[in-house]
Amino acid sequence: VFDNFILLCILFSSFAMAYDTPLNDPDDPLTQLVRDSNKFFAYIFMFELVVKLFAMGLIMGKGAYLRSGWNVLDGIVVGVSILGLITPGSGAFLKTLRILRAFRPLRVISRNPNLKVVVQTMFAAMPQLATLIFVTCFFLVIFAL
């Protein structure tokens, strides 16, 4: 039940992030609701992080929180959300870090083993794809001249 609730929160949080743009009128009630919901979701994700840390442990043990790359990604995303809550009128550097919140939908992958396999396969194929892209660009440059 807890995981399904968190998945639902990730889904709604992703929709809220997709709607929220800097061009929205800050006095619009819907924009204010979306921005307040972002804070609400940040608190929920902090609670989830704390529960996981107590349940799994931080480093020690076979199933510790930091032993999984997906949990590290979750921790980074939640950490960026915490920074956003602590410093609401922050400078350009922290606003740049807020881009990392776009990784929230990737948290769904850590809960689905089939999606993990797909993403790991894509990352394993990256070196071959990079070579293919390089050769394609090389031929495009040759034919463009």
Side-chain angles (χ1 to χ4, degrees):
V1 174
F2 182 71
D3 277 340
N4 290 335
F5 174 71
I6 295 297
L7 286 174
L8 192 64
C9 287
I10 291 171
L11 178 71
F12 285 139
S13 171
S14 300
F15 284 136
M17 280 192 319
Y19 175 78
D20 191 20
T21 65
L23 300 176
N24 290 345
D25 180 23
D27 296 327
D28 183 32
L30 183 60
T31 303
Q32 290 176 352
L33 176 71
V34 166
R35 292 184 180 164
D36 289 340
S37 71
N38 185 38
K39 294 176 187 174
F40 173 73
F41 289 127
Y43 287 122
I44 288 176
F45 295 142
M46 278 192 309
F47 175 73
E48 178 207 12
L49 177 74
V50 169
V51 167
K52 278 185 158 183
L53 285 175
F54 278 120
M56 301 169 79
L58 183 64
I59 299 172
M60 304 300 284
K62 188 174 184 178
Y65 187 80
L66 290 180
R67 300 249 183 218
S68 168
W70 297 105
N71 286 338
V72 172
L73 175 68
D74 287 351
I76 290 171
V77 170
V78 172
V80 168
S81 297
I82 292 170
L83 279 175
L85 289 176
I86 293 173
T87 57
S90 60
F93 174 70
L94 290 178
K95 286 184 181 179
T96 305
L97 279 180
R98 290 179 61 190
I99 294 171
L100 294 176
R101 290 186 316 165
F103 289 128
R104 274 187 191 164
L106 291 179
R107 297 178 70 206
V108 174
I109 295 171
S110 67
R111 295 182 174 30
N112 190 333
N114 294 331
L115 286 176
K116 278 185 188 179
V117 171
V118 170
V119 170
Q120 288 171 346
T121 304
M122 287 173 43
F123 283 133
M126 286 295 174
Q128 291 83 9
L129 288 175
T131 304
L132 180 67
I133 290 171
F134 175 74
V135 170
T136 303
C137 289
F138 179 71
F139 279 112
L140 285 175
V141 167
I142 288 175
F143 287 115
L145 296 177

